[in-house]
Amino acid sequence: MDRTRIKGIIFDMDNTLFDFVRVKTIACEAIIRHLGRGDAHELLDYFRREGRGFEDIGNISDYLSDNGCFSEEGFLECCRIYEHEKTRSIELYPDVESTLMELRSRRVLLGLLTDAEMKNARVRLEKVGLYSMFDSLFTYDITGWKKPSHRTFMHALDSMGLKPHETMFVGDSLRRDIAPSKQLGMAAAYALYGDRNPDRDRINIEEKPDHILYSFSDLLTLIRERDDED
């Protein structure tokens, strides 16, 4: 692949910076404990369904209704528990902060592109102390598009003043992160360590990542090698 020096790196957030599936599992377990009935993994599967989306608290409403225990008051309490536990449980993967700090010291522009809305992204990033680490933050309510739409990637590139060939995208989804970034001419680093996506996310993906990351800090090795070749 082209060895042009990387001037900017754009990151996915959930399951790339921290294990968000683990966090949501903990939140679902807390709801089930509160209800005194049901199954946390079944509730989590409601969030994984096609349709409402992985962020939509309407999945909780659906689960309560399908299990014959919905009430407006109970739903609101479950949502409160869910949001509290979700935020409380977020922890960075090892070496995320130190890796980002070295990248900044190398004058690499850092961006973050997520399908979450700003209010949710900010809460998570503030919880782990990374809100001010990124030069640019792009959320669904800012770009108006969700991955794998090329428009959301191009919005981030244009806003940061970057060309695709001088930018690397780092994400855990082959379908939503790797394929579109490759199609646009970006270098693509697949965060295998964080891929908790359903099998359908990996089907019929023709574009292959340029790099596979087994840990977040593997990214530093890639950047050091590319810088040394310049």
Side-chain angles (χ1 to χ4, degrees):
M1 62 170 294
D2 184 0
R3 306 301 293 186
T4 302
R5 183 180 184 276
I6 293 297
K7 296 182 180 178
I9 302 177
I10 303 176
F11 295 87
D12 171 53
M13 182 176 67
D14 297 333
N15 298 313
T16 298
L17 303 179
F18 42 75
D19 188 341
F20 196 54
V21 172
R22 169 187 167 273
V23 165
K24 288 180 72 74
T25 301
I26 291 172
C28 289
E29 289 171 347
I31 290 176
I32 295 304
R33 286 195 301 272
H34 168 72
L35 294 174
R37 59 184 291 189
D39 180 85
H41 292 287
E42 181 184 356
L43 175 54
L44 181 63
D45 285 341
Y46 272 66
F47 286 92
R48 291 181 176 275
R49 299 174 303 172
E50 298 279 1
R52 282 193 182 273
F54 200 54
E55 294 274 13
D56 195 336
I57 59 173
N59 291 300
I60 299 174
S61 174
D62 292 345
Y63 177 82
L64 295 175
S65 297
D66 291 347
N67 284 272
C69 56
F70 179 86
S71 70
E72 187 65 27
E73 181 180 354
F75 167 62
L76 292 176
E77 179 61 13
C78 286
C79 290
R80 185 196 67 77
I81 292 170
Y82 171 77
E83 293 297 340
H84 173 77
E85 290 297 318
K86 189 174 64 172
T87 302
R88 182 189 67 81
S89 304
I90 293 176
E91 297 178 354
L92 290 174
Y93 286 122
D95 301 319
V96 169
E97 185 173 8
S98 60
T99 297
L100 293 176
M101 289 179 66
E102 178 167 338
L103 291 173
R104 287 184 67 88
S105 73
R106 289 175 174 265
R107 302 185 183 279
V108 177
L109 287 175
L110 302 181
L112 188 142
L113 176 63
T114 175
D115 287 344
E117 294 189 356
M118 177 61 78
K119 61 181 180 180
N120 294 324
R122 179 163 187 163
V123 166
R124 293 171 204 169
L125 293 172
E126 287 181 339
K127 169 60 170 62
V128 295
L130 293 187
Y131 182 70
S132 61
M133 184 71 74
F134 295 95
D135 298 291
S136 301
L137 173 58
F138 306 99
T139 58
Y140 169 59
D141 45 329
I142 289 177
T143 69
W145 298 88
K146 291 188 176 182
K147 298 178 291 183
S149 171
H150 286 186
R151 296 192 185 193
T152 192
F153 289 85
M154 289 306 301
H155 181 100
L157 288 168
D158 291 343
S159 298
M160 296 179 70
L162 293 169
K163 303 297 184 184
H165 70 275
E166 60 190 18
T167 308
M168 180 178 290
F169 194 90
V170 180
D172 66 283
S173 170
L174 291 173
R175 181 177 66 86
R176 291 179 290 107
D177 296 323
I178 301 306
S181 57
K182 286 282 292 182
Q183 290 161 2
L184 288 169
M186 303 166 69
Y190 171 42
L192 177 62
Y193 61 84
D195 188 350
R196 306 284 299 279
N197 296 288
D199 290 340
R200 65 176 180 270
D201 198 73
R202 307 179 185 89
I203 296 174
N204 299 324
I205 305 298
E206 296 181 1
E207 295 80 6
K208 304 301 180 184
D210 298 297
H211 309 285
I212 296 178
L213 306 179
Y214 296 95
S215 67
F216 193 87
S217 59
D218 286 350
L219 186 58
L220 280 182
T221 303
L222 298 180
I223 298 302
R224 289 166 180 162
E225 288 176 351
R226 295 175 75 105
D227 286 353
D228 289 346
E229 290 184 6
D230 289 343

